[in-house]
């Protein structure tokens, strides 16, 4: 699935329908996604090093039975049987998984985007049409989703693992957003607060929300890299960093809300 983004139409040039595992019609399309995330680039500026001399720490893959370093070409996956023996699975074994979604996107149906619990969203991928043959069905799916106001719920296999996903349009391009399976979400237990709130407190809280409405998310940036640079410069120069002000714990909720509203109005 590496390589260019692709959404291949069937040879007929129109989206094809085929029965899924449940017997429902399932639109199928071959997929080669491109990750939409740039990745944790700021974190990549740091390495693990030895405190005493600053030398890089290397993680080596060692066979626990032979106590020798093993090259990547000799590493496979393993499934431990109940009797303790291991079934060795090579890349070609995983590539031959009997999954209908191994080379296709299996569209199960269409739902309103608000009906997808945001807790389930995992990772986005850009999806593009491959070749002239795929252009028309791709454009049709993008336009139909945008016009209908729904997202497509689908199954897709990425890195030899079947994932739940949604397909949705974004500026004329399809985005495949992988989802967590519902059973992957842990139940939080009873974390809710039993503390009562007054009508006045609710009115002030809503007023504060109105005062702070309209955040331009596109103008917000991760400040980690800049903060990290300050730490590095201070370390190199022997200087000291300014400690950020500690937030004052809110003892009087009403007073805190009123102060927040005043501060919002002064912006």
């Amino acid at each position: 699935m590496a390589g260019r983004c692709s959404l291949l139409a069937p040879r007929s040039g129109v989206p094809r329908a085929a029965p899924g595992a449940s017997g429902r019609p399932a639109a199928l399309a071959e997929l080669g996604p491109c990750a939409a995330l740039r990745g944790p680039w700021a974190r990549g500026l740091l390495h693990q090093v030895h405190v005493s001399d600053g030398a890089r720490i290397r993680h080596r893959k060692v066979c626990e039975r032979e106590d020798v370093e093993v090259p990547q070409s000799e590493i496979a996956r393993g499934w431990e049987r109940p009797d303790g023996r291991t079934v060795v699975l090579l890349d070609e074994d995983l590539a031959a998984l009997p999954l209908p979604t191994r080379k296709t996107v299996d569209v199960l149906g269409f739902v309103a985007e608000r009906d997808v619990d945001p807790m389930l969203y995992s990772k986005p991928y850009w999806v593009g049409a491959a070749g002239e043959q795929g252009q028309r069905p791709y454009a049709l799916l993008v336009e139909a989703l945008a016009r209908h106001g729904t997202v497509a719920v689908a199954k897709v296999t990425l890195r030899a693992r079947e994932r739940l996903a949604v397909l949705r349009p974004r500026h004329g391009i399809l985005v495949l957003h992988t989802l967590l399976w519902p059973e992957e979400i842990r139940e939080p237990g009873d974390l809710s607060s039993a503390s009562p709130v007054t009508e006045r407190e609710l009115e002030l809280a809503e007023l504060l929300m109105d005062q702070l409405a309209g955040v331009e998310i596109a103008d917000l940036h991760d400040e980690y890299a800049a903060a990290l640079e300050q730490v590095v410069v201070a370390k190199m120069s022997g200087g000291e960093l300014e400690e950020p002000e500690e937030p004052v714990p809110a003892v009087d909720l009403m007073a805190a809300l009123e102060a927040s509203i005043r501060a919002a109005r002064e912006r």
Side-chain angles (χ1 to χ4, degrees):
M1 293 252 174
R4 64 178 181 175
C5 299
S6 62
L7 181 65
L8 303 181
R11 292 184 181 178
S12 62
V14 295
R16 174 180 58 178
S22 63
R24 295 191 305 269
L28 302 178
E30 295 184 9
L31 173 69
C34 289
L37 301 181
R38 289 195 176 104
W41 59 274
R43 283 182 234 161
L45 301 174
L46 297 177
H47 311 289
Q48 288 188 328
V49 297
H50 191 190
V51 173
S52 62
D53 56 14
R56 289 281 296 271
I57 298 296
R58 302 291 182 182
H59 297 273
R60 305 187 187 280
K61 298 178 180 180
V62 177
C63 174
E64 64 178 21
R65 179 177 296 174
E66 300 177 9
D67 196 27
V68 295
E69 188 174 349
V70 180
Q72 186 61 41
S73 60
E74 296 181 16
I75 296 177
R77 305 291 179 89
W79 178 284
E80 187 173 343
R81 293 171 38 160
D83 59 8
R85 290 184 294 170
T86 299
V87 178
V88 177
L89 297 173
L90 305 177
D91 287 344
E92 49 264 38
D93 297 319
L94 297 176
L97 283 171
L99 289 171
T101 56
R102 186 165 56 88
K103 291 185 178 180
T104 63
V105 178
D106 185 1
V107 177
L108 306 174
F110 301 88
V111 299
E113 191 165 6
R114 65 177 178 273
D115 292 336
V116 181
D117 188 344
M119 285 281 290
L120 298 177
Y121 281 107
S122 180
K123 188 176 181 180
Y125 295 85
W126 297 114
V127 179
E132 289 301 318
Q133 190 179 14
Q135 295 296 324
R136 189 173 181 81
Y138 178 89
L140 175 60
L141 182 56
V142 172
E143 185 62 28
L145 287 173
R147 184 171 175 175
H148 198 241
T150 56
V151 297
V153 178
K155 286 183 179 180
V156 61
T157 298
L158 297 172
R159 298 182 181 87
R161 184 180 176 189
E162 188 172 62
R163 302 295 317 185
L164 194 60
V166 294
L167 281 167
R168 59 185 178 86
R170 178 180 168 82
H171 306 317
I173 302 173
L174 272 183
V175 175
L176 182 140
H177 213 136
T178 57
L179 304 176
L180 299 171
W181 295 101
E183 59 267 25
E184 292 183 274
I185 302 294
R186 291 182 178 178
E187 289 298 327
D190 188 11
L191 298 178
S192 59
S193 173
S195 179
V197 294
T198 67
E199 186 64 29
R200 175 61 178 157
E201 289 170 340
L202 284 173
E203 289 173 356
L204 280 174
E206 290 173 354
L207 182 57
L208 176 61
M209 293 176 187
D210 291 337
Q211 291 288 334
L212 297 178
V215 177
E216 289 292 338
I217 295 180
D219 295 336
L220 303 178
H221 304 284
D222 184 359
E223 298 178 4
Y224 176 82
L228 177 61
E229 185 178 359
Q230 292 179 37
V231 172
V232 172
V233 170
K235 193 85 172 181
M236 292 172 62
S237 63
E240 292 187 2
L241 285 172
E242 251 185 69
E243 288 290 332
E245 292 184 10
E246 290 291 330
V248 179
V251 178
D252 186 335
L253 181 59
M254 292 288 286
L257 285 171
E258 289 170 349
S260 297
I261 292 171
R262 283 196 301 272
R265 286 173 173 168
E266 291 169 1
R267 289 184 180 179

